[in-house]
Amino acid sequence: MMIVTVGNAKGGVAKTTSVMYLATAWARRTGRRTLVLDADPQSSASLWRDMAEDAGHGFELVDVLPANLSTMQRLRGRCASDDLVLVDAPPQGKLLEAAVNVADFVIVPTSDSPLDLQQAWATMAAIPQSVPSAVLVVRAEAGTRAFGETMAALDEQRTPRFDAIVRKRQDIKKGMGTVPAKSWEYAQVLDELMGVAR
Ligand SMILES: Nc1ncnc2c1ncn2[C@@H]1O[C@H](COP(=O)(O)OP(=O)(O)OP(=O)(O)O)[C@@H](O)[C@H]1O
Ligand SMILES: [Mg+2]
């Protein structure tokens, strides 16, 4: 079992989107169940699943469950049978701390904006050395100055990051409440995660 927490102190940086796409990509690739733990009080991951079910397109192999501090602290003992557990983390507090501490890996998504990058670094700095983590650049507009500067700053600071860059796509933007039909660059993110796990 691998527990992957997706977290960032900054809001609106595709945490929920990344969790739902990664869960679907994993289930599709392996044919195995994936557990998404919705630890964000906004309950966006749960809403995403509910909207999909209301529209008659349930997630077959992805379970979305709410998670509180107690669930999170006992996660490792309780979820032994799940291959991959993805945690949609809240922006701050004890629950974020617990979600980070229980993780095998923490993904810190950031868009290609300098302001988001500051928050990503702050989030990375708060993650204990013992927990591997990396920045994932999302909603990227390759070829723009902001994108170039973001990548240069990450390289300059030697910030661990995924080689995969998730591009800004209408298909992903409209993905909320649907079962993603295509994994896009999240398939490569999974490859890289599995490389770390091995
Ligand atoms: N690759 C992408 N291309 C275009 N739009 C995207 C992409 N990824 C995410 N988005 C959009 O960005 C917005 C924020 O995404 P999301 O809700 O997943 O972020 P979040 O970090 O979970 O936000 P919150 O802090 O509110 O929980 C959404 O409108 C989503 O559709
Ligand atoms: Mg969210």
Short mmCIF file of all heavy atoms in Angstrom, two decimals, residues 68-134:
data_model
loop_
_atom_site.label_atom_id
_atom_site.label_comp_id
_atom_site.label_asym_id
_atom_site.label_seq_id
_atom_site.Cartn_x
_atom_site.Cartn_y
_atom_site.Cartn_z
N ASN A 68 -11.24 12.28 9.05
CA ASN A 68 -10.96 13.24 10.12
C ASN A 68 -9.63 12.90 10.77
O ASN A 68 -8.91 12.00 10.31
CB ASN A 68 -12.11 13.26 11.13
CG ASN A 68 -12.39 11.88 11.68
OD1 ASN A 68 -11.46 11.08 11.89
ND2 ASN A 68 -13.65 11.58 11.90
N LEU A 69 -9.30 13.61 11.84
CA LEU A 69 -8.00 13.44 12.49
C LEU A 69 -7.79 12.00 12.97
O LEU A 69 -6.70 11.43 12.79
CB LEU A 69 -7.89 14.42 13.67
CG LEU A 69 -6.50 14.61 14.27
CD1 LEU A 69 -5.49 15.00 13.21
CD2 LEU A 69 -6.56 15.67 15.36
N SER A 70 -8.83 11.42 13.53
CA SER A 70 -8.72 10.06 14.05
C SER A 70 -8.47 9.05 12.92
O SER A 70 -7.59 8.19 13.02
CB SER A 70 -9.99 9.69 14.82
OG SER A 70 -9.89 8.39 15.30
N THR A 71 -9.25 9.18 11.85
CA THR A 71 -9.07 8.28 10.68
C THR A 71 -7.64 8.38 10.17
O THR A 71 -7.01 7.37 9.86
CB THR A 71 -9.99 8.72 9.51
OG1 THR A 71 -11.14 9.36 10.00
CG2 THR A 71 -10.34 7.57 8.62
N MET A 72 -7.18 9.62 10.07
CA MET A 72 -5.88 9.86 9.45
C MET A 72 -4.75 9.26 10.29
O MET A 72 -3.83 8.66 9.76
CB MET A 72 -5.68 11.38 9.32
CG MET A 72 -4.70 11.78 8.26
SD MET A 72 -5.16 11.17 6.64
CE MET A 72 -6.50 12.25 6.27
N GLN A 73 -4.86 9.42 11.60
CA GLN A 73 -3.79 8.92 12.47
C GLN A 73 -3.75 7.39 12.51
O GLN A 73 -2.72 6.80 12.82
CB GLN A 73 -3.96 9.49 13.89
CG GLN A 73 -3.57 10.96 13.93
CD GLN A 73 -4.02 11.66 15.20
OE1 GLN A 73 -4.91 11.17 15.91
NE2 GLN A 73 -3.45 12.81 15.50
N ARG A 74 -4.87 6.75 12.18
CA ARG A 74 -4.91 5.29 12.21
C ARG A 74 -4.87 4.68 10.81
O ARG A 74 -5.06 3.48 10.64
CB ARG A 74 -6.19 4.82 12.91
CG ARG A 74 -6.14 4.99 14.40
CD ARG A 74 -7.50 4.97 15.04
NE ARG A 74 -7.41 5.20 16.48
CZ ARG A 74 -7.19 6.39 17.03
NH1 ARG A 74 -7.09 7.45 16.27
NH2 ARG A 74 -7.10 6.51 18.33
N LEU A 75 -4.60 5.51 9.83
CA LEU A 75 -4.73 5.09 8.43
C LEU A 75 -3.86 3.88 8.09
O LEU A 75 -4.32 2.94 7.46
CB LEU A 75 -4.35 6.28 7.53
CG LEU A 75 -4.60 6.12 6.05
CD1 LEU A 75 -6.04 5.75 5.79
CD2 LEU A 75 -4.27 7.43 5.33
N ARG A 76 -2.63 3.91 8.52
CA ARG A 76 -1.71 2.85 8.10
C ARG A 76 -2.18 1.47 8.58
O ARG A 76 -2.10 0.50 7.84
CB ARG A 76 -0.29 3.13 8.60
CG ARG A 76 0.75 2.33 7.86
CD ARG A 76 2.10 3.00 7.88
NE ARG A 76 2.20 4.14 7.00
CZ ARG A 76 2.36 4.05 5.69
NH1 ARG A 76 2.39 2.90 5.09
NH2 ARG A 76 2.46 5.13 4.96
N GLY A 77 -2.68 1.40 9.77
CA GLY A 77 -3.17 0.13 10.29
C GLY A 77 -4.47 -0.33 9.66
O GLY A 77 -4.73 -1.53 9.55
N ARG A 78 -5.28 0.61 9.21
CA ARG A 78 -6.64 0.27 8.79
C ARG A 78 -6.79 -0.02 7.30
O ARG A 78 -7.76 -0.63 6.89
CB ARG A 78 -7.59 1.44 9.12
CG ARG A 78 -7.67 1.76 10.59
CD ARG A 78 -8.89 1.10 11.22
NE ARG A 78 -8.86 1.21 12.68
CZ ARG A 78 -9.46 2.16 13.37
NH1 ARG A 78 -10.15 3.08 12.73
NH2 ARG A 78 -9.39 2.17 14.67
N CYS A 79 -5.87 0.47 6.49
CA CYS A 79 -6.09 0.42 5.05
C CYS A 79 -5.16 -0.56 4.34
O CYS A 79 -4.81 -0.38 3.19
CB CYS A 79 -5.92 1.80 4.43
SG CYS A 79 -7.25 2.89 4.84
N ALA A 80 -4.77 -1.60 5.04
CA ALA A 80 -3.75 -2.51 4.52
C ALA A 80 -4.08 -3.07 3.14
O ALA A 80 -3.19 -3.33 2.34
CB ALA A 80 -3.53 -3.64 5.50
N SER A 81 -5.35 -3.26 2.83
CA SER A 81 -5.69 -3.95 1.59
C SER A 81 -5.72 -3.01 0.37
O SER A 81 -5.67 -3.47 -0.76
CB SER A 81 -7.05 -4.63 1.73
OG SER A 81 -8.02 -3.64 2.00
N ASP A 82 -5.80 -1.72 0.63
CA ASP A 82 -5.87 -0.80 -0.51
C ASP A 82 -4.48 -0.59 -1.11
O ASP A 82 -3.52 -0.39 -0.40
CB ASP A 82 -6.43 0.55 -0.07
CG ASP A 82 -7.89 0.44 0.32
OD1 ASP A 82 -8.73 0.37 -0.57
OD2 ASP A 82 -8.15 0.41 1.53
N ASP A 83 -4.39 -0.68 -2.42
CA ASP A 83 -3.10 -0.53 -3.07
C ASP A 83 -2.60 0.89 -3.00
O ASP A 83 -1.45 1.15 -2.75
CB ASP A 83 -3.23 -0.92 -4.54
CG ASP A 83 -3.40 -2.40 -4.69
OD1 ASP A 83 -2.60 -3.12 -4.09
OD2 ASP A 83 -4.33 -2.81 -5.38
N LEU A 84 -3.52 1.80 -3.29
CA LEU A 84 -3.13 3.20 -3.33
C LEU A 84 -4.18 4.01 -2.59
O LEU A 84 -5.37 3.89 -2.86
CB LEU A 84 -3.03 3.68 -4.79
CG LEU A 84 -2.64 5.14 -5.00
CD1 LEU A 84 -1.22 5.42 -4.51
CD2 LEU A 84 -2.76 5.53 -6.47
N VAL A 85 -3.72 4.80 -1.64
CA VAL A 85 -4.60 5.71 -0.92
C VAL A 85 -4.16 7.13 -1.26
O VAL A 85 -2.99 7.47 -1.12
CB VAL A 85 -4.52 5.49 0.61
CG1 VAL A 85 -5.44 6.46 1.34
CG2 VAL A 85 -4.87 4.05 0.97
N LEU A 86 -5.10 7.93 -1.74
CA LEU A 86 -4.80 9.32 -2.08
C LEU A 86 -5.55 10.23 -1.11
O LEU A 86 -6.75 10.07 -0.92
CB LEU A 86 -5.24 9.62 -3.52
CG LEU A 86 -4.33 9.00 -4.58
CD1 LEU A 86 -5.11 8.70 -5.85
CD2 LEU A 86 -3.15 9.92 -4.88
N VAL A 87 -4.82 11.14 -0.49
CA VAL A 87 -5.43 12.04 0.49
C VAL A 87 -5.54 13.45 -0.07
O VAL A 87 -4.53 14.05 -0.46
CB VAL A 87 -4.62 12.07 1.81
CG1 VAL A 87 -5.30 12.97 2.83
CG2 VAL A 87 -4.44 10.66 2.36
N ASP A 88 -6.77 13.96 -0.13
CA ASP A 88 -7.00 15.35 -0.51
C ASP A 88 -6.92 16.16 0.78
O ASP A 88 -7.84 16.16 1.59
CB ASP A 88 -8.39 15.48 -1.16
CG ASP A 88 -8.62 16.85 -1.78
OD1 ASP A 88 -7.69 17.69 -1.76
OD2 ASP A 88 -9.73 17.08 -2.30
N ALA A 89 -5.76 16.81 1.00
CA ALA A 89 -5.47 17.42 2.30
C ALA A 89 -6.11 18.79 2.45
O ALA A 89 -6.28 19.52 1.47
CB ALA A 89 -3.96 17.51 2.49
N PRO A 90 -6.40 19.15 3.71
CA PRO A 90 -6.89 20.51 3.98
C PRO A 90 -5.73 21.50 3.92
O PRO A 90 -4.57 21.09 3.95
CB PRO A 90 -7.44 20.40 5.41
CG PRO A 90 -6.61 19.34 6.04
CD PRO A 90 -6.26 18.37 4.94
N PRO A 91 -6.01 22.82 3.85
CA PRO A 91 -4.93 23.80 3.71
C PRO A 91 -4.05 23.96 4.95
O PRO A 91 -2.91 24.39 4.82
CB PRO A 91 -5.67 25.11 3.39
CG PRO A 91 -7.08 24.89 3.78
CD PRO A 91 -7.34 23.43 3.73
N GLN A 92 -4.56 23.68 6.12
CA GLN A 92 -3.73 23.86 7.32
C GLN A 92 -4.26 23.05 8.49
O GLN A 92 -5.26 22.34 8.35
CB GLN A 92 -3.63 25.35 7.69
CG GLN A 92 -4.72 25.86 8.62
CD GLN A 92 -5.92 26.43 7.90
OE1 GLN A 92 -5.77 27.30 7.06
NE2 GLN A 92 -7.11 25.93 8.21
N GLY A 93 -3.55 23.14 9.60
CA GLY A 93 -4.03 22.55 10.85
C GLY A 93 -3.50 21.16 11.13
O GLY A 93 -2.68 20.62 10.40
N LYS A 94 -4.02 20.59 12.21
CA LYS A 94 -3.58 19.28 12.68
C LYS A 94 -3.87 18.18 11.66
O LYS A 94 -3.13 17.21 11.55
CB LYS A 94 -4.30 18.94 13.99
CG LYS A 94 -3.76 19.67 15.20
CD LYS A 94 -3.85 18.76 16.42
CE LYS A 94 -2.93 19.20 17.53
NZ LYS A 94 -3.55 20.10 18.49
N LEU A 95 -4.99 18.35 10.93
CA LEU A 95 -5.36 17.31 9.96
C LEU A 95 -4.36 17.29 8.80
O LEU A 95 -4.00 16.22 8.31
CB LEU A 95 -6.79 17.57 9.46
CG LEU A 95 -7.46 16.48 8.64
CD1 LEU A 95 -7.36 15.12 9.32
CD2 LEU A 95 -8.93 16.83 8.38
N LEU A 96 -3.90 18.47 8.39
CA LEU A 96 -2.86 18.53 7.35
C LEU A 96 -1.59 17.86 7.87
O LEU A 96 -0.97 17.04 7.17
CB LEU A 96 -2.58 19.98 6.95
CG LEU A 96 -1.38 20.19 6.02
CD1 LEU A 96 -1.56 19.45 4.70
CD2 LEU A 96 -1.13 21.68 5.76
N GLU A 97 -1.21 18.19 9.09
CA GLU A 97 -0.01 17.60 9.69
C GLU A 97 -0.10 16.07 9.70
O GLU A 97 0.85 15.38 9.33
CB GLU A 97 0.10 18.06 11.15
CG GLU A 97 1.23 19.04 11.40
CD GLU A 97 1.17 19.54 12.83
OE1 GLU A 97 1.38 18.73 13.76
OE2 GLU A 97 0.87 20.74 13.02
N ALA A 98 -1.26 15.57 10.12
CA ALA A 98 -1.45 14.12 10.20
C ALA A 98 -1.40 13.50 8.80
O ALA A 98 -0.81 12.43 8.60
CB ALA A 98 -2.78 13.79 10.88
N ALA A 99 -2.00 14.18 7.83
CA ALA A 99 -2.03 13.68 6.46
C ALA A 99 -0.63 13.63 5.86
O ALA A 99 -0.30 12.75 5.05
CB ALA A 99 -2.95 14.55 5.59
N VAL A 100 0.21 14.57 6.26
CA VAL A 100 1.60 14.60 5.78
C VAL A 100 2.42 13.52 6.48
O VAL A 100 3.18 12.79 5.85
CB VAL A 100 2.22 16.01 6.00
CG1 VAL A 100 3.74 15.97 5.87
CG2 VAL A 100 1.62 17.00 5.01
N ASN A 101 2.23 13.41 7.80
CA ASN A 101 3.05 12.47 8.57
C ASN A 101 2.77 11.01 8.25
O ASN A 101 3.65 10.17 8.36
CB ASN A 101 2.88 12.73 10.06
CG ASN A 101 3.61 13.99 10.49
OD1 ASN A 101 4.69 14.29 10.00
ND2 ASN A 101 3.00 14.76 11.37
N VAL A 102 1.54 10.71 7.84
CA VAL A 102 1.19 9.32 7.56
C VAL A 102 1.58 8.91 6.13
O VAL A 102 1.61 7.74 5.79
CB VAL A 102 -0.34 9.08 7.79
CG1 VAL A 102 -1.15 9.62 6.62
CG2 VAL A 102 -0.64 7.61 8.04
N ALA A 103 1.95 9.90 5.32
CA ALA A 103 2.14 9.65 3.88
C ALA A 103 3.48 8.98 3.56
O ALA A 103 4.48 9.18 4.24
CB ALA A 103 2.04 10.97 3.11
N ASP A 104 3.46 8.17 2.50
CA ASP A 104 4.70 7.65 1.92
C ASP A 104 5.30 8.69 0.99
O ASP A 104 6.49 8.68 0.72
CB ASP A 104 4.42 6.38 1.10
CG ASP A 104 3.95 5.25 1.99
OD1 ASP A 104 4.72 4.85 2.87
OD2 ASP A 104 2.80 4.79 1.81
N PHE A 105 4.42 9.56 0.48
CA PHE A 105 4.88 10.60 -0.44
C PHE A 105 3.88 11.75 -0.41
O PHE A 105 2.68 11.53 -0.33
CB PHE A 105 4.98 10.04 -1.87
CG PHE A 105 5.86 10.86 -2.76
CD1 PHE A 105 7.20 10.52 -2.94
CD2 PHE A 105 5.37 11.99 -3.42
CE1 PHE A 105 8.03 11.30 -3.74
CE2 PHE A 105 6.19 12.77 -4.22
CZ PHE A 105 7.53 12.42 -4.39
N VAL A 106 4.41 12.97 -0.47
CA VAL A 106 3.54 14.15 -0.53
C VAL A 106 3.74 14.87 -1.85
O VAL A 106 4.87 15.20 -2.24
CB VAL A 106 3.81 15.13 0.64
CG1 VAL A 106 2.91 16.36 0.53
CG2 VAL A 106 3.60 14.44 1.98
N ILE A 107 2.65 15.07 -2.57
CA ILE A 107 2.66 15.85 -3.80
C ILE A 107 2.19 17.27 -3.47
O ILE A 107 1.13 17.45 -2.87
CB ILE A 107 1.72 15.25 -4.87
CG1 ILE A 107 2.16 13.83 -5.22
CG2 ILE A 107 1.67 16.13 -6.12
CD1 ILE A 107 1.23 13.14 -6.24
N VAL A 108 3.01 18.25 -3.84
CA VAL A 108 2.64 19.65 -3.63
C VAL A 108 2.39 20.30 -4.99
O VAL A 108 3.33 20.68 -5.68
CB VAL A 108 3.76 20.41 -2.88
CG1 VAL A 108 3.36 21.87 -2.65
CG2 VAL A 108 4.08 19.74 -1.54
N PRO A 109 1.12 20.39 -5.40
CA PRO A 109 0.84 20.98 -6.71
C PRO A 109 1.02 22.50 -6.68
O PRO A 109 0.77 23.13 -5.65
CB PRO A 109 -0.63 20.63 -6.98
CG PRO A 109 -1.15 19.95 -5.78
CD PRO A 109 -0.12 20.00 -4.70
N THR A 110 1.47 23.04 -7.78
CA THR A 110 1.58 24.49 -7.90
C THR A 110 1.34 24.87 -9.35
O THR A 110 1.72 24.15 -10.26
CB THR A 110 2.97 24.99 -7.46
OG1 THR A 110 2.98 26.41 -7.46
CG2 THR A 110 4.08 24.49 -8.36
N SER A 111 0.69 26.02 -9.54
CA SER A 111 0.52 26.50 -10.92
C SER A 111 1.78 27.27 -11.29
O SER A 111 2.66 27.47 -10.46
CB SER A 111 -0.72 27.39 -11.03
OG SER A 111 -0.41 28.66 -10.52
N ASP A 112 1.87 27.70 -12.54
CA ASP A 112 3.09 28.38 -12.96
C ASP A 112 3.00 29.88 -12.68
O ASP A 112 3.19 30.70 -13.56
CB ASP A 112 3.41 28.09 -14.44
CG ASP A 112 2.25 28.45 -15.36
OD1 ASP A 112 1.28 29.06 -14.88
OD2 ASP A 112 2.33 28.12 -16.56
N SER A 113 2.71 30.21 -11.42
CA SER A 113 2.70 31.62 -11.02
C SER A 113 3.64 31.80 -9.83
O SER A 113 3.69 30.94 -8.94
CB SER A 113 1.29 32.08 -10.66
OG SER A 113 1.15 32.20 -9.27
N PRO A 114 4.39 32.91 -9.81
CA PRO A 114 5.36 33.14 -8.73
C PRO A 114 4.72 33.10 -7.35
O PRO A 114 5.32 32.58 -6.40
CB PRO A 114 5.88 34.55 -9.04
CG PRO A 114 5.64 34.74 -10.49
CD PRO A 114 4.42 33.96 -10.82
N LEU A 115 3.50 33.60 -7.22
CA LEU A 115 2.83 33.62 -5.92
C LEU A 115 2.54 32.20 -5.43
O LEU A 115 2.74 31.88 -4.27
CB LEU A 115 1.53 34.43 -6.03
CG LEU A 115 1.08 35.13 -4.76
CD1 LEU A 115 2.10 36.17 -4.33
CD2 LEU A 115 -0.27 35.78 -4.96
N ASP A 116 2.06 31.36 -6.35
CA ASP A 116 1.80 29.97 -6.00
C ASP A 116 3.08 29.27 -5.60
O ASP A 116 3.10 28.44 -4.69
CB ASP A 116 1.17 29.22 -7.19
CG ASP A 116 -0.30 29.52 -7.32
OD1 ASP A 116 -0.79 30.37 -6.56
OD2 ASP A 116 -0.96 28.91 -8.19
N LEU A 117 4.18 29.61 -6.28
CA LEU A 117 5.46 28.97 -6.01
C LEU A 117 5.92 29.26 -4.58
O LEU A 117 6.43 28.38 -3.89
CB LEU A 117 6.50 29.46 -7.03
CG LEU A 117 7.76 28.62 -7.16
CD1 LEU A 117 7.44 27.14 -7.33
CD2 LEU A 117 8.59 29.12 -8.33
N GLN A 118 5.72 30.50 -4.13
CA GLN A 118 6.08 30.85 -2.75
C GLN A 118 5.36 29.94 -1.76
O GLN A 118 5.95 29.46 -0.80
CB GLN A 118 5.71 32.32 -2.46
CG GLN A 118 6.50 33.35 -3.28
CD GLN A 118 8.00 33.25 -3.05
OE1 GLN A 118 8.46 32.96 -1.96
NE2 GLN A 118 8.78 33.48 -4.11
N GLN A 119 4.08 29.73 -2.01
CA GLN A 119 3.28 28.88 -1.12
C GLN A 119 3.73 27.44 -1.20
O GLN A 119 3.69 26.70 -0.21
CB GLN A 119 1.79 29.00 -1.48
CG GLN A 119 1.18 30.34 -1.14
CD GLN A 119 1.07 30.54 0.37
OE1 GLN A 119 1.17 29.61 1.15
NE2 GLN A 119 0.88 31.79 0.79
N ALA A 120 4.11 27.01 -2.40
CA ALA A 120 4.58 25.62 -2.57
C ALA A 120 5.86 25.41 -1.76
O ALA A 120 6.02 24.39 -1.09
CB ALA A 120 4.81 25.31 -4.04
N TRP A 121 6.77 26.38 -1.83
CA TRP A 121 8.01 26.28 -1.06
C TRP A 121 7.72 26.26 0.43
O TRP A 121 8.33 25.49 1.17
CB TRP A 121 8.95 27.45 -1.41
CG TRP A 121 9.73 27.22 -2.66
CD1 TRP A 121 10.19 26.01 -3.13
CD2 TRP A 121 10.15 28.21 -3.61
NE1 TRP A 121 10.87 26.20 -4.32
CE2 TRP A 121 10.87 27.53 -4.63
CE3 TRP A 121 9.99 29.59 -3.69
CZ2 TRP A 121 11.43 28.20 -5.72
CZ3 TRP A 121 10.55 30.25 -4.77
CH2 TRP A 121 11.26 29.58 -5.78
N ALA A 122 6.80 27.14 0.87
CA ALA A 122 6.44 27.18 2.30
C ALA A 122 5.88 25.83 2.73
O ALA A 122 6.19 25.32 3.81
CB ALA A 122 5.44 28.30 2.55
N THR A 123 5.05 25.25 1.86
CA THR A 123 4.47 23.94 2.18
C THR A 123 5.56 22.87 2.24
O THR A 123 5.60 22.06 3.18
CB THR A 123 3.41 23.55 1.13
OG1 THR A 123 2.42 24.58 1.08
CG2 THR A 123 2.74 22.23 1.48
N MET A 124 6.46 22.89 1.25
CA MET A 124 7.57 21.92 1.23
C MET A 124 8.42 22.03 2.50
O MET A 124 8.84 21.03 3.07
CB MET A 124 8.47 22.16 0.01
CG MET A 124 7.84 21.84 -1.34
SD MET A 124 7.67 20.08 -1.65
CE MET A 124 9.34 19.65 -2.14
N ALA A 125 8.66 23.28 2.93
CA ALA A 125 9.52 23.52 4.09
C ALA A 125 8.91 22.94 5.37
O ALA A 125 9.62 22.60 6.30
CB ALA A 125 9.78 25.01 4.25
N ALA A 126 7.59 22.84 5.39
CA ALA A 126 6.91 22.35 6.59
C ALA A 126 6.80 20.82 6.62
O ALA A 126 6.35 20.24 7.61
CB ALA A 126 5.51 22.97 6.67
N ILE A 127 7.24 20.17 5.53
CA ILE A 127 7.16 18.70 5.48
C ILE A 127 8.43 18.12 6.11
O ILE A 127 9.53 18.52 5.75
CB ILE A 127 7.01 18.22 4.01
CG1 ILE A 127 5.71 18.76 3.41
CG2 ILE A 127 7.05 16.69 3.94
CD1 ILE A 127 5.57 18.54 1.91
N PRO A 128 8.28 17.18 7.05
CA PRO A 128 9.47 16.60 7.69
C PRO A 128 10.39 15.92 6.66
O PRO A 128 9.91 15.39 5.65
CB PRO A 128 8.88 15.54 8.64
CG PRO A 128 7.44 15.83 8.76
CD PRO A 128 7.03 16.61 7.56
N GLN A 129 11.69 15.98 6.94
CA GLN A 129 12.70 15.39 6.04
C GLN A 129 12.41 13.90 5.76
O GLN A 129 12.74 13.39 4.71
CB GLN A 129 14.09 15.49 6.69
CG GLN A 129 14.62 16.90 6.79
CD GLN A 129 15.17 17.41 5.49
OE1 GLN A 129 15.68 16.64 4.69
NE2 GLN A 129 15.06 18.71 5.24
N SER A 130 11.81 13.25 6.75
CA SER A 130 11.59 11.80 6.64
C SER A 130 10.50 11.45 5.63
O SER A 130 10.36 10.29 5.24
CB SER A 130 11.21 11.25 8.02
OG SER A 130 10.10 11.97 8.53
N VAL A 131 9.72 12.44 5.21
CA VAL A 131 8.63 12.17 4.25
C VAL A 131 9.03 12.72 2.87
O VAL A 131 9.17 13.92 2.69
CB VAL A 131 7.30 12.83 4.70
CG1 VAL A 131 6.18 12.49 3.74
CG2 VAL A 131 6.94 12.42 6.12
N PRO A 132 9.22 11.82 1.89
CA PRO A 132 9.59 12.30 0.56
C PRO A 132 8.47 13.14 -0.05
O PRO A 132 7.29 12.83 0.12
CB PRO A 132 9.78 11.02 -0.26
CG PRO A 132 9.58 9.87 0.66
CD PRO A 132 9.09 10.37 1.96
N SER A 133 8.88 14.19 -0.75
CA SER A 133 7.87 15.08 -1.33
C SER A 133 8.42 15.70 -2.60
O SER A 133 9.64 15.76 -2.81
CB SER A 133 7.50 16.18 -0.34
OG SER A 133 8.65 16.94 -0.02
N ALA A 134 7.52 16.17 -3.46
CA ALA A 134 7.94 16.85 -4.68
C ALA A 134 6.83 17.77 -5.16
O ALA A 134 5.64 17.50 -4.92
CB ALA A 134 8.30 15.84 -5.78
#
